[in-house]
Amino acid sequence: MQYYTDINSYQGLEKTAVTLGKFDSLHRGHQRLVKSIQSYAQKKNVKSVVFAFDINKETLLTNQERRNHLETQVDCMIQCPFTKEIREMEAEAFIEKVLVEKLHASYIVVGTDFHFGHRKRGNVEMLARYAEKYHYQLDVLNKELYQGREISSTYVRAALAEGDVELANLLLGYPYHMSGVVEHGKRLGRTLGFPTMNIIPADRKIVPRYGVYTCKIWIEGEVFTGIGNVGMRPTVTEEKRVLLEVFVFEYDGDAYGKNITVEFCAFERPEKKFDSIEEMKRQVDLDIAFGKAYFQE
């Protein structure tokens, strides 16, 4: 997959099938858009292009995670910063200058609520009006639904805020996850009999409700099970820093400095401040038992 972080760097001359949006989660609705341009690429011999607006806000997927997801699915991804130039470009100019002259779009695939251009004046009706003039075909796909409700990034965020990662995973079509390099901590867990791997969430990455979860942990291509606590560890520190700590079952290697990925499976309990380290250890023992029973089932 070709990857660009600036629309002006794209110099392709081929006809394309393009889908556009924020793609801040690549949920099941987004995946339907991607599958549509994949189909055009295969059947019409055009290049499949995902054009993602990077609005620089909290996100469910980092830019690198989004790139990893799409790596084998499309020919090209353009991660377009929401610059003043893009933000203030009139909708008609965006169609002409970006979609037609730059991307050579033959097929444009968007959702029903897609808006673009200065003050969001562009919409699917405008795209339809210009289709004949600029010789592209427009496909407007209805929203994917789950139990009668439209799947959206807002829906996913709400599920994560409640700790309902099982619902979030259903909406996404893949496990919600966080990745990072394992850093050295205070080694308190090791002295208490449950050594943890600690990672700091990526900038702008949305974390689920603070608490304890059952998790799957990917380390150097191998998957393990365990439990993880995401939050601020109020029992052992006054630092106001969000951290993900995972205790990995049946792993005795040295993970320091390694990049790991933690997938959230199910919520067990909210994070709390214990009155003592001993009380915390008793609860962690229960958490470990809960996690092992969860994966045995």
Side-chain angles (χ1 to χ4, degrees):
M1 182 185 76
Q2 296 173 310
Y3 179 72
Y4 300 92
T5 56
D6 178 3
I7 181 60
N8 295 317
S9 299
Y10 181 81
Q11 301 295 329
L13 300 177
E14 307 96 326
K15 295 291 185 181
T16 63
V18 184
T19 186
L20 305 96
K22 293 193 292 292
F23 297 105
D24 54 344
S25 66
L26 280 178
H27 57 59
R28 284 163 45 190
H30 292 149
Q31 291 169 33
R32 189 176 173 208
L33 298 173
V34 172
K35 287 177 182 176
S36 182
I37 63 169
Q38 283 177 324
S39 178
Y40 279 123
Q42 293 165 0
K43 296 176 181 178
K44 302 296 183 179
N45 195 31
V46 294
K47 191 174 184 178
S48 56
V49 177
V50 171
F51 187 99
F53 295 98
D54 185 358
I55 58 175
N56 199 32
K57 292 183 179 180
E58 282 195 325
T59 184
L60 295 159
L61 280 180
T62 66
N63 290 347
Q64 185 60 52
E65 288 169 343
R66 187 181 301 106
R67 181 179 180 179
N68 292 344
H69 271 269
L70 294 173
E71 186 68 46
T72 60
Q73 298 188 47
V74 297
D75 297 313
C76 176
M77 177 184 172
I78 300 170
Q79 190 74 48
C80 183
F82 203 51
T83 60
K84 186 174 186 291
E85 177 187 5
I86 291 293
R87 188 169 59 251
E88 296 184 358
M89 185 180 293
E90 294 299 334
E92 297 89 340
F94 184 86
I95 295 174
E96 180 182 358
K97 301 298 183 183
V98 176
L99 294 177
V100 178
E101 294 181 4
K102 196 72 176 174
L103 299 180
H104 310 290
S106 291
Y107 304 93
I108 298 173
V109 182
V110 293
T112 53
D113 60 350
F114 177 65
H115 286 80
F116 63 99
H118 188 47
R119 298 185 184 276
K120 296 185 177 181
R121 290 178 180 140
N123 53 24
V124 294
E125 288 78 15
M126 178 180 286
L127 284 171
R129 287 201 307 271
Y130 281 87
E132 184 174 356
K133 176 180 179 180
Y134 289 116
H135 311 292
Y136 59 76
Q137 177 179 315
L138 174 67
D139 289 354
V140 180
L141 304 189
N142 291 325
K143 294 285 189 177
E144 286 284 304
L145 302 178
Y146 178 72
Q147 295 184 340
R149 179 174 172 179
E150 290 183 354
I151 294 176
S152 66
S153 295
T154 299
Y155 193 1
V156 177
R157 287 190 183 96
L160 291 174
E162 294 294 324
D164 194 346
V165 291
E166 292 171 295
L167 173 58
N169 294 345
L170 281 171
L171 302 175
L172 291 168
Y174 60 86
Y176 193 66
H177 56 276
M178 291 167 52
S179 300
V181 175
V182 178
E183 64 168 34
H184 288 276
K186 296 180 179 179
R187 296 179 178 258
L188 176 61
R190 185 175 298 278
T191 64
L192 296 176
F194 44 85
T196 60
M197 299 180 191
N198 303 339
I199 61 174
I200 299 174
D203 289 343
R204 298 194 290 139
K205 175 78 171 181
I206 291 173
V207 300
R209 178 186 179 185
Y210 292 174
V212 177
Y213 296 82
T214 56
C215 302
K216 290 184 179 179
I217 304 98
W218 290 87
I219 307 171
E220 297 184 316
E222 189 173 358
V223 65
F224 300 86
T225 57
I227 58 167
N229 181 87
V230 62
M232 294 189 179
R233 305 182 299 161
T235 306
V236 299
T237 181
E238 296 295 326
E239 285 185 80
K240 299 301 181 183
R241 182 178 72 154
V242 179
L243 193 71
L244 172 59
E245 296 179 288
V246 290
F247 172 62
V248 185
F249 305 150
E250 300 180 359
Y251 180 84
D252 57 5
D254 182 0
Y256 289 121
K258 295 179 181 177
N259 195 295
I260 68 171
T261 296
V262 180
E263 298 177 351
F264 295 92
C265 298
F267 181 75
E268 184 204 350
R269 65 171 177 85
E271 184 177 58
K272 65 171 291 186
K273 183 173 183 178
F274 297 96
D275 293 331
S276 67
I277 296 297
E278 291 74 19
E279 182 186 354
M280 182 185 74
K281 184 181 185 308
R282 286 194 294 272
Q283 180 59 59
V284 173
D285 287 337
L286 294 174
D287 297 337
I288 292 170
F290 175 90
K292 289 184 175 179
Y294 173 88
F295 287 110
Q296 285 173 358
E297 293 172 3

